[in-house]
């Protein structure tokens, strides 16, 4: 009894230790997962916001650079220098005010004005407004002081007259080496806040003292990122940079520093307090541009990673437990499999005899099917050849006409040559003999086409030129078209089209279809046949259209049946379309018939383009 109790206590202690180890390992994994996922999410967020920050800075710099050169350009105008030298000329001041007003409108600036060496404004674009700048002294502004030092003055501030934010450019007006005054142009940057306000990130631009003067968050304006000492606040008030605006503090609390330009800060909002702050300098203007992105997405990603890690860890633990249980049952399964193996061996022995007999019968049936298929293929080839001969017989009258004409001409040229030789007119006789040679060559071409048409197929599906097949078929039916005075139009693409087919069999199909079209239009006053070729979705589409009476609706479903025909017996046995249908099927294509709305019939032949078929074949081989 004591031994059993001790064994039970040992097993219980072992399970408790194992459970503690599993929980501790889970805690370590979750902590490490949270750390890694937060770092990765912060890096991704930094990359995304870095791009937005660059766009904002580039947009801001582009706006400033657009106006930067204008004060320098205005300072070269002699009208400004003359007025600085002779400020009491009434005509000059009116002309200068109008000139500055025009420049201000053209440049789309806020204000443009001229100051003398003491800082008094003596001409301005707003000279007709209720509160013009004329007569006001802005010598306390840093941009005027910089211009009087001979440099381009740059400064952002609230207008002491308009109380509107603006960026000032000032440039000295010189008489040779002496500075007589300064020309100033003010631009407003309100559009930036509106155009970037729709983004989920917050943007802020700070001056050299860290005070925000441009921001997509209106509550941040005229607040410093960090507390300012009294001397800095006094200097800002003395320069009247922000006029009478109260300089507050945004109270940003720095947390994790990621890099020199990026760190995690707390904005004091209890719901969404942590943000990723990115900073980029604008050294020309003396500004710093900040972007603040909420870490809600980062926290969400961390939670998802923790959830995934927990599920994965639990799955691994369950898998280990499952494997442990599986190992315990392996021996039982092995014993069961051994018994099952013995039973199976006995049953296999019983079934082997049955399968052997069935296999013998199956091989016999396969051999019979092979012989039947071979006989069927031979019969089909013979039918195709017979159809060719039948087509040749039907075209014999046209071919005879094609051959009789050169024969009659040969007879006439031969008689002429004999008569000319008796008269010793050798040159003319030689010309007649040359004509005889050309006529015999023409007859040889006609007979060669018949020989090509009557040859047997190789049975191989290869890439062939569709235009070449059409040309060969038209050479065969050409005499028939000529005899029946049938007009044939060809609508073919300019580029060569290659299809997968047997060239001889495809010629046979086209000859059959064109011949049927010739028969269909023979009762028409104007006989017309059209061959149109196009490509669509990896297929070559060949359409043979005629202007005949069309196909009766009751016959559309039977037109490809063997021995079905609406022609007289001397026109064929009704095998042409049936054989053509089977040939196209063997070439993995399709052949259909329909009636046209404008009258007549259309036979549509579809074949695989060579490039598509070869690609499909390559994929099947790869599998």
């Amino acid at each position: 009894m004591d031994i059993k109790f001790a064994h039970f206590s040992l097993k219980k202690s072992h399970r408790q230790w194992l459970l503690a180890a599993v929980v501790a390992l889970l805690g370590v994994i979750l902590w490490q997962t949270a750390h890694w996922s937060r770092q990765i999410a912060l890096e991704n967020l930094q990359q995304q916001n870095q791009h937005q920050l660059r766009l904002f800075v580039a947009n801001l710099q582009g706006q400033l650079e657009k106006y930067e050169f204008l004060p320098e350009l205005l300072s070269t105008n002699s009208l400004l220098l003359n007025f600085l030298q002779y400020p009491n000329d009434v005509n000059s001041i009116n002309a200068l005010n109008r000139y500055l007003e025009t420049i201000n409108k053209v440049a789309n600036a806020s204000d443009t004005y001229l100051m003398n060496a003491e800082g008094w404004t003596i001409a301005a674009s707003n000279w007709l407004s209720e509160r013009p700048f004329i007569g006001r002294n802005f010598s306390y502004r840093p941009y005027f002081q910089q211009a009087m030092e001979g440099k381009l003055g740059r400064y952002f501030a609230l207008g002491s007259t308009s109380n509107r934010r603006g960026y000032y450019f000032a440039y000295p007006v010189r008489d040779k080496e002496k500075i007589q005054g300064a020309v100033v142009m003010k631009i407003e940057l309100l559009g930036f806040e509106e155009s970037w306000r729709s983004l989920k990130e917050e943007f802020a631009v700070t001056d050299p003292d860290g005070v925000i003067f441009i921001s997509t968050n209106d509550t941040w304006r005229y607040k410093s990122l960090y507390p300012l000492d009294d001397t800095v606040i006094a200097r800002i008030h003395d320069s009247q940079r922000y006029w009478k605006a109260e300089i507050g503090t945004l109270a940003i609390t720095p947390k994790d520093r990621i890099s020199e330009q990026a760190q995690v800060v707390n904005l004091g909002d209890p719901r969404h307090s942590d943000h990723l702050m990115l900073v980029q300098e604008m050294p020309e203007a003396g500004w710093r541009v900040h972007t603040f992105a909420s870490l809600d997405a980062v926290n969400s990603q961390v939670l998802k990673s923790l959830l995934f890690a927990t599920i994965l860890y639990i799955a691994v633990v369950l898998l280990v437990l499952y494997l442990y249980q599986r190992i315990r049952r392996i021996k039982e399964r092995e014993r069961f499999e051994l018994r099952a193996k013995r039973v199976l061996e006995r049953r296999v022995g019983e079934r082997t005899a049955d399968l052997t007999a069935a296999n013998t019968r199956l091989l016999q049936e396969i051999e019979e099917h092979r012989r039947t298929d071979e006989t069927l293929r031979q019969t089909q080839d013979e039918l195709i050849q017979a159809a060719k001969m039948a087509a040749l017989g039907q075209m014999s009258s046209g071919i005879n006409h094609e051959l009789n004409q050169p024969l009659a001409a040969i007879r006439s040229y031969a008689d002429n040559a004999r008569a000319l030789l008796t008269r010793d007119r050798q040159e003319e006789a030689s010309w007649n003999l040359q004509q005889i040679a050309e006529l015999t060559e023409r007859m040889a071409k006609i007979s060669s086409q018949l020989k090509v048409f009557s040859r047997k197929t190789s049975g191989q599906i290869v890439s062939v030129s569709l235009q070449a097949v059409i040309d060969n078929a038209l050479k065969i039916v050409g005499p028939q078209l000529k005899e029946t005075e049938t007009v044939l139009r060809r609508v073919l693409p300019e580029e060569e089209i290659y299809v997968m087919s047997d060239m001889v069999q495809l010629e046979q199909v086209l000859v059959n279809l064109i011949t049927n079209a010739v028969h269909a239009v023979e009762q028409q006053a104007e006989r017309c046949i059209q061959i149109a070729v196009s490509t669509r979705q990896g297929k070559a589409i060949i359409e043979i259209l005629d202007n005949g009476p069309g196909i009766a609706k009751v016959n559309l479903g039977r037109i490809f049946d063997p021995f079905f025909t609406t022609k007289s017996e001397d026109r064929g046995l009704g095998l042409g379309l049936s054989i053509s249908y089977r040939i196209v099927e063997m070439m993995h294509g399709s052949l259909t018939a329909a009636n046209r709305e404008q009258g007549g019939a259309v036979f549509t032949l579809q074949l695989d383009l060579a490039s598509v078929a070869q690609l499909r074949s390559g994929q099947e081989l790869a599998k």
Side-chain angles (χ1 to χ4, degrees):
M1 186 70 178
D2 294 338
I3 296 175
K4 291 182 178 180
F5 180 77
H7 178 69
F8 175 77
S9 300
L10 181 62
K11 290 179 63 177
K12 183 177 180 181
S13 175
H14 177 73
R15 287 197 300 269
Q16 291 176 347
W17 177 85
L18 183 61
L19 179 61
V22 169
V23 173
L25 181 59
L26 176 61
V28 173
I29 292 175
L30 292 181
W31 180 85
Q32 192 65 42
T33 300
H35 177 72
W36 286 343
S37 61
R38 188 172 188 274
Q39 291 298 113
I40 294 172
L42 282 174
E43 290 177 3
N44 294 335
L45 185 62
Q46 180 181 354
Q47 292 177 0
Q48 295 172 5
N49 285 271
Q50 195 72 47
H51 177 69
Q52 294 286 356
L53 182 60
R54 292 195 191 99
L55 288 178
F56 188 85
V57 171
N59 200 359
L60 199 56
Q61 286 178 336
Q63 186 72 5
L64 296 181
E65 291 172 356
K66 185 170 68 173
Y67 292 94
E68 184 177 3
F69 70 96
L70 288 177
E72 182 178 359
L73 182 62
L74 289 175
S75 68
T76 60
N77 193 317
S78 59
L79 187 63
L80 275 67
L81 180 60
N82 292 337
F83 187 69
L84 286 171
Q85 293 175 343
Y86 307 101
N88 297 322
D89 187 350
V90 177
N91 294 329
S92 296
I93 189 171
N94 290 334
L96 181 58
N97 285 330
R98 291 190 184 94
Y99 172 71
L100 294 179
E101 182 181 12
T102 301
I103 291 297
N104 197 68
K105 289 181 180 179
V106 172
N108 196 25
S110 175
D111 298 293
T112 305
Y113 49 97
L114 178 66
M115 302 170 64
N116 62 16
E118 288 76 30
W120 294 97
T121 303
I122 57 177
S125 60
N126 63 352
W127 61 296
L128 294 177
S129 64
E130 295 180 359
R131 302 181 66 187
F133 290 172
I134 298 174
R136 295 181 178 272
N137 191 296
F138 300 116
S139 59
Y140 59 88
R141 291 292 197 185
Y143 62 79
F144 172 76
Q145 300 167 10
Q146 294 169 2
M148 295 308 294
E149 294 174 0
K151 299 181 293 185
L152 173 65
R154 307 165 68 107
Y155 194 65
F156 185 91
L158 282 175
S160 59
T161 302
S162 63
N163 198 31
R164 300 181 65 177
R165 291 175 293 161
Y167 192 79
Y168 297 83
F169 290 103
Y171 199 81
V173 180
R174 291 184 174 91
D175 179 15
K176 296 182 181 179
E177 296 299 326
K178 184 178 180 181
I179 298 176
Q180 300 289 339
V183 59
V184 183
M185 179 173 286
K186 175 186 177 183
I187 61 173
E188 294 183 355
L189 303 175
L190 300 178
F192 288 96
E193 295 174 335
E194 297 301 325
S195 61
W196 291 85
R197 200 183 297 275
S198 60
L199 297 177
K200 58 184 178 181
E201 298 85 2
E202 299 285 1
F203 290 87
V205 183
T206 60
D207 62 14
D209 296 318
V211 178
I212 298 174
F213 57 88
I214 295 178
S215 176
T216 54
N217 190 330
D218 295 337
T219 61
W220 291 4
R221 201 171 296 132
Y222 310 127
K223 292 183 179 180
S224 61
L225 295 180
Y226 307 104
L228 302 177
D229 55 33
D230 295 337
T231 57
V232 174
I233 294 177
R235 176 163 47 81
I236 293 174
H237 284 303
D238 291 342
S239 65
Q240 299 183 24
R241 184 169 202 162
Y242 301 115
W243 193 230
K244 297 180 180 180
E246 288 293 331
I247 306 300
T249 303
L250 197 58
I252 291 179
T253 304
K255 296 182 72 175
D256 300 332
R257 175 170 290 278
I258 300 174
S259 63
E260 293 183 1
Q261 290 80 27
Q263 65 175 331
V264 177
V265 297
N266 186 287
L267 298 180
D269 184 353
R271 293 175 300 173
H272 306 286
S273 57
D274 288 346
H275 287 70
L276 176 65
M277 182 180 73
L278 300 180
V279 183
Q280 184 170 335
E281 301 284 347
M282 289 184 63
E284 297 85 358
W287 299 345
R288 303 185 80 195
V289 182
H290 308 256
T291 179
F292 297 86
S294 174
L295 294 190
D296 290 346
V298 174
N299 297 332
S300 176
Q301 183 64 35
V302 171
L303 289 176
K304 290 178 181 178
S305 300
L306 290 175
L307 180 61
F308 176 76
T310 303
I311 294 173
L312 182 61
Y313 182 79
I314 294 174
V316 171
V317 171
L318 293 177
L319 179 61
V320 171
L321 294 175
Y322 167 75
L323 292 176
Y324 174 73
Q325 294 294 330
R326 182 181 177 85
I327 291 172
R328 291 181 57 187
R329 296 173 182 172
I330 286 179
K331 293 182 179 180
E332 296 178 5
R333 182 175 296 178
E334 287 178 351
R335 290 193 297 270
F336 174 79
E337 289 178 353
L338 181 59
R339 290 194 300 268
K341 182 178 179 182
R342 291 172 182 172
V343 175
L344 181 62
E345 288 176 351
R346 185 177 66 254
R347 292 181 180 178
V348 167
E350 295 172 354
R351 293 290 295 170
T352 299
D354 297 337
L355 290 174
T356 302
N359 189 37
T360 302
R361 290 194 301 271
L362 181 61
L363 290 174
Q364 292 173 352
E365 291 178 2
I366 291 174
E367 181 62 23
E368 290 177 2
H369 282 298
R370 187 190 63 79
R371 288 196 298 268
T372 303
D373 185 66
E374 184 177 353
T375 302
L376 179 62
R377 189 176 298 276
Q378 291 176 355
T379 303
Q380 186 174 359
D381 291 341
E382 292 173 0
L383 284 174
I384 293 173
Q385 194 66 17
K388 290 183 181 180
M389 297 299 104
L392 288 176
Q394 294 173 11
M395 296 185 292
S396 60
S397 60
I399 296 170
N400 288 336
H401 180 72
E402 289 292 317
L403 294 176
N404 284 335
Q405 281 187 340
L407 283 173
I410 289 173
R411 185 181 298 109
S412 176
Y413 283 128
D415 292 340
N416 290 341
R418 186 169 56 252
L420 291 171
L421 287 174
T422 58
R423 298 175 186 176
D424 199 19
R425 295 166 63 179
Q426 295 182 2
E427 184 175 346
E428 297 179 14
S430 175
W431 183 86
N432 279 269
L433 293 174
Q434 182 180 353
Q435 298 304 310
I436 292 173
E438 293 179 357
L439 288 171
T440 55
E441 183 178 354
R442 176 183 171 187
M443 294 173 64
K445 288 182 178 179
I446 295 174
S447 62
S448 66
Q449 291 299 323
L450 296 177
K451 182 179 179 181
V452 169
F453 182 69
S454 62
R455 72 185 185 273
K456 290 190 176 181
T457 176
S458 63
Q460 295 182 350
I461 305 299
V462 296
S463 174
V464 299
S465 169
L466 185 56
Q467 283 87 339
V469 173
I470 293 174
D471 291 341
N472 291 340
L474 291 179
K475 289 177 182 178
I476 298 300
V477 299
Q480 193 173 2
L481 293 170
K482 185 176 181 182
E483 180 183 0
T484 58
E485 298 182 354
T486 301
V487 177
L488 184 130
R489 299 189 183 94
R490 295 197 295 179
V491 181
L492 305 180
E494 296 181 358
E495 66 276 6
E496 194 82 3
I497 296 178
Y498 291 88
V499 296
M500 300 301 295
S501 70
D502 182 317
M503 188 169 187
V504 175
Q505 291 185 344
L506 185 56
E507 288 178 10
Q508 169 70 28
V509 172
L510 291 178
V511 168
N512 285 343
L513 295 178
I514 296 172
T515 302
N516 286 346
V518 172
H519 294 165
V521 301
E522 61 186 358
Q523 299 300 327
Q524 303 298 115
E526 294 183 1
R527 291 170 287 280
C528 180
I529 298 174
Q530 177 174 302
I531 300 177
V533 177
S534 61
T535 59
R536 182 171 64 250
Q537 297 179 350
K539 297 280 188 180
I541 314 297
I542 306 106
E543 295 180 321
I544 293 87
L545 308 96
D546 62 63
N547 67 337
I551 305 170
K553 291 184 178 180
V554 295
N555 296 332
L556 279 174
R558 305 175 55 200
I559 195 167
F560 294 112
D561 293 344
F563 302 105
F564 176 79
T565 180
T566 58
K567 305 176 186 177
S568 58
E569 293 182 358
D570 58 343
R571 286 291 179 87
L573 300 176
L575 290 173
L577 287 178
S578 176
I579 292 174
S580 298
Y581 187 87
R582 299 298 182 271
I583 290 174
V584 174
E585 268 192 341
M586 289 190 298
M587 293 187 291
H588 309 293
S590 64
L591 178 61
T592 58
N595 288 316
R596 303 166 60 202
E597 293 182 0
Q598 59 270 41
V602 54
F603 284 82
T604 304
L605 172 62
Q606 295 192 27
L607 294 171
D608 285 336
L609 292 174
S611 57
V612 175
Q614 290 168 354
L615 176 60
R616 185 189 304 142
S617 177
Q619 291 174 344
E620 291 177 356
L621 289 175
K623 292 180 181 178

